[in-house]
Amino acid sequence: MLALILIFSCLTITTTALAQTDQIVYNDSLVNGWQNWSWATVNLSNTIPVQFGTDSISVSAGPYQALYLEHDDFDSSLYGSLVFWINGGPTGGQLLQVQALVGGTARTVVTLPALAANTWQEIAIPLASLGAQHQPDLDGFWIQDRSGKTQPAFYVDTISFTAAPPPSVVNISVDAGNTVRTVDPGHFGINTAVWDEVFDTSSTINLLTAMGNQALRFPGGSLSDDYHWATNTTDGNAWQWATSFTDFAAVATAVGSQVFVTVNYGSGTPAEASGWVSSSNVTNHYGFKYWEVGNEVYGSWETDNNTRPHDPYTYAQRFAQYYSQMKSADPTIKVGAVSVPGEDSYANYTDHPVVNPRTGVTHNGWTPVMLATLKNIGVTPDFLIYHRYPENPGTEDDEDLLLSSGTWSTDAANLRQQLNDYLGAAAANVELDCTENNSVSSSPGKQTTSLVDALFMADSICAAMQTEFNSVMWWDLRNGQEMDGNLSASLYGWREYGDYGVVDGTIPPDPAADVYPAFYAGELLKYFARGGDQLLTAASDYRLMSTCAATRADGTLGLLVINKSATNALNANIAISHATLSGNATLYSYGIPQDNAAKAGTGSPAIVTTPVTGLSTNFSFSFPAYSANVLVFSNGASPSPTTTLTATITATPTAMPTTAITIGPATCDSGNVVEGNSSSTCVFALSNAGFTNHAIVTGITIDDTLDFGVFFTDCQAPGGIPAQSSCSINVTFNPQSTGSYTTHLHVFDNATSSPQQVTITGTGALPMSTTDTITPNPLDFGGSPVGQANEQFLVVDNTGFTNPLVLQTLTVTDTTPGYTGPNEFTLVPADSNCPIEPTGLGPGESCIIAIDLTPDASQVDASLTGTLVVAGNAATSPQTINLTGYAVFGITVSGDCYTDATGACNAMQSDAGFSGQSCLIGAGICTTGVGFSCICQ
């Protein structure tokens, strides 16, 4: 029996607050990235009755309809039960069932008892009962009618997944004898921007030094694609930006940072970029090594004035020009190309498809087309550019963010595989660099200024180090406070605003108010490792505790431990092999007490330094909830000093919710598409019809994902869709077999009409063959004795050179005038070897169709006719083969004579009946031979 716990309560029961490590689904509204995908009538803002707070969910369900709540895949091993409150309303009696979804597939059904009227019941269902325990991709659940009848409205409130208890001990292992890689200075990088009004100041130099910065990027994200370095302007403005390249270079050289520069691809030229390299490295001798050609130019949000904007083929052609001219200015630089994981990501065009030489699959995505084109040109980029923002605005979830680090390894592997597939041996010389990283893709909310973002930064760098990525450039140093992002109470943190920067703009910065937790995370990491140190093998057996270890240049060993549990201190057993330790260490830590000190304005918000003694190579240590910690095992070297802080900022606008979104056309027919091929004829325009606010698209889904797919959209660009603007969604149709198809596209966004829906149809067709022949035509059976089968054969040849010949139907019909008896012409399948759909006949191949003529006795002396109609994918299909013959009442046939039932010898003439004596050939007559055989003589 499935375990199901029901706790009955009246409306006045006080609800205990859920632990922060619980995954809250609904608490007056959907939170933590949960979305309403219901196929019942649902009101998420119902006010009566309510179990707790101000709102509940009302559900009016028809037969088998459901309240369906969906989430991006998450790891269920951290949770024990699905818990919710439910009320049957005035009538009660509703018959419902619950199912969890894992990887989009519904699991075990749990049946609820009939609901009680006007009574709130707490339902707690163990995930084991739902078949969803310890699954890496739990992505939703539904509460569904099981009666098959229309149900009275019922109500649901206070939904969560309760946290499973943490392990009593987390095991951390470090192998000091196994080096993973050399740490790169680029792992400790940050983006800068031309809008920073106080960048070229001692305050900034002090901040970067305190943070331990080792890499900087300029001039600032998307702005790079319309920035002209020589004038310090962008397209359309005559005024200059606050920070010029000269200003930037002064700070970068003072701090001693590695530098990434993004040249203008969108509105610039190769000559302009070459001039920048020459000014930087030849005239001024800065020696800046890494140069990127464009920023996220696969996306419609980037400036791209080329005839074919956001086109990987055009980009590759122009990249080759940039590469050549920039290298001619300084051959020692590295030039990077914009990339994105996934072979079908940002397939903005389909007229330059490429075939993966390893898999044989055709792709139109940005990276495959770009790499294949570069290979054909003979140009190999020095590095690929990768940007990472794991969350989208409005759907932020703290625990999801802190568990997202696994995508570093999968994305690195995906990009490396694409390099190997499309560049071949030359791929070995291409490195991977992440030049933008933060939590949310646009509209930063309170999460970006919270302790969670600091833990995410440390965890990101730890995870990236364990891949081949050579840089992690945080976005960014100073950006600006924004009030219109996600400020949900479900997100940890006390700053009721968002800011991508690690510091605010006050000079000098107040550590309590103007220095955000992410700054301290960056500072903490300088005690863990620096560029040139050796990363060691380290592992944790619990997902809410991550770890990295490194051997420092001074011989000390740094151990980074991040506790990602919001409420639980975690006890760790730490085993370090192949190391000799002194027994003494210094602990550097940052977490909840420091963040709370910043809020209260009392105590220190800075990193805490604590000496630790009595350690060995195997010891236990407790790490506080929500904390980042570095243990540096002493060998007599002194730890680096902490530097006094300073800081600045220029605000940038953030999109606001919209209320008017339309999509059209309502229906689109993809037409006839050959099975196994794809078409992208359906393009939908999503329009923000409002006049002030941005539209934010949070999800796009298709019911039939096997035969249809979204192969391009610019509707989920960072920042959303501005007022009175539109974006497009291109849908590809790839039928897997012949026949008619219908599906629906759903768009989820911040409009009151969300989700919008359109209908897409299409027909799967057979491929066209070049040519084919069927011989002979007509097929003549000659004289055929009545009642006896006379078998003849047709030969089918696929005379094309590329496509298979696929036969769908073979239809034989008698057409003898006046004849209504049994079929005389029939197919003989046993003797035929022509394949029928879906199997095809390859180019140059042949097959045989066998047909019998069995004349009816009523047809003696008559000419017989029929047809064979062959339908398939030939260009001339359907083809008709004429069948002819005549019926004889004979026993033995020889030449043109036959003996009838009486033994008389007769001549056969199909065109004039039987003359009785004349032969069809020669001048002889029919004469009785030996054994009643007839011969012509």
Side-chain angles (χ1 to χ4, degrees), residues 181-218:
R181 61 167 297 166
T182 298
V183 178
D184 196 283
H187 287 131
F188 309 101
I190 197 164
N191 278 266
T192 65
V194 296
W195 57 75
D196 190 339
E197 296 178 349
V198 291
F199 182 80
D200 184 17
T201 63
S202 60
S203 177
T204 297
I205 293 174
N206 291 338
L207 279 169
L208 293 174
T209 303
M211 194 177 182
N213 172 265
Q214 292 195 306
L216 295 173
R217 181 174 181 247
F218 183 84

Side-chain angles (χ1 to χ4, degrees), residues 136-160:
D137 53 351
L138 178 62
D139 59 355
F141 64 93
W142 58 53
I143 303 173
Q144 182 182 23
D145 166 65
R146 62 182 172 88
S147 69
K149 302 175 182 178
T150 298
Q151 298 268 28
F154 61 92
Y155 305 90
V156 184
D157 203 351
T158 317
I159 309 171
S160 67

Side-chain angles (χ1 to χ4, degrees), residues 689-855:
F691 292 94
T692 55
N693 301 324
H694 283 54
I696 304 298
V697 175
T698 57
I700 301 173
T701 64
I702 292 182
D703 295 340
D704 179 0
T705 58
L706 179 64
D707 304 289
F708 296 84
V710 176
F711 80 91
F712 166 73
T713 180
D714 55 357
C715 294
Q716 293 178 287
I721 310 161
Q724 295 295 296
S725 298
S726 63
C727 59
S728 62
I729 304 172
N730 293 28
V731 177
T732 185
F733 175 44
N734 182 19
Q736 302 304 298
S737 60
T738 59
S740 298
Y741 292 80
T742 300
T743 192
H744 297 96
L745 173 82
H746 310 273
V747 180
F748 300 85
D749 46 54
N750 59 329
T752 55
S753 60
S754 177
Q756 293 83 30
Q757 176 178 299
V758 292
T759 301
I760 312 167
T761 59
T763 302
L766 289 170
M768 294 301 294
S769 178
T770 306
T771 56
D772 74 320
T773 60
I774 304 176
T775 56
N777 186 9
L779 177 61
D780 184 31
F781 289 75
S784 299
V786 297
Q788 298 184 35
N790 179 9
E791 187 177 63
Q792 300 292 325
F793 299 92
L794 290 161
V795 177
V796 180
D797 293 288
N798 181 0
T799 56
F801 296 96
T802 56
N803 297 324
L805 174 66
V806 181
L807 304 182
Q808 288 180 292
T809 59
L810 304 175
T811 306
V812 176
T813 305
D814 286 351
T815 60
T816 302
Y819 178 67
T820 59
N823 291 340
E824 295 180 296
F825 293 96
T826 56
L827 284 171
V828 187
D831 295 337
S832 303
N833 64 359
C834 285
I836 303 298
E837 182 188 13
T839 305
L841 192 65
E845 294 181 350
S846 303
C847 64
I848 292 173
I849 300 173
I851 299 178
D852 273 351
L853 171 59
T854 306

Side-chain angles (χ1 to χ4, degrees), residues 491-525:
L491 298 174
Y492 185 89
W494 53 270
R495 297 171 181 86
E496 293 301 314
Y497 54 86
D499 193 336
Y500 279 129
V502 297
V503 291
D504 192 9
T506 304
I507 297 295
D510 176 358
D514 305 319
V515 180
Y516 303 136
F519 174 89
Y520 293 111
E523 181 186 13
L524 181 80
L525 292 175

Side-chain angles (χ1 to χ4, degrees), residues 136 195 477 485 543 672 748 937:
W195 57 75
L477 177 62
R543 290 201 67 195
N672 294 332
F748 300 85
Q937 62 180 29

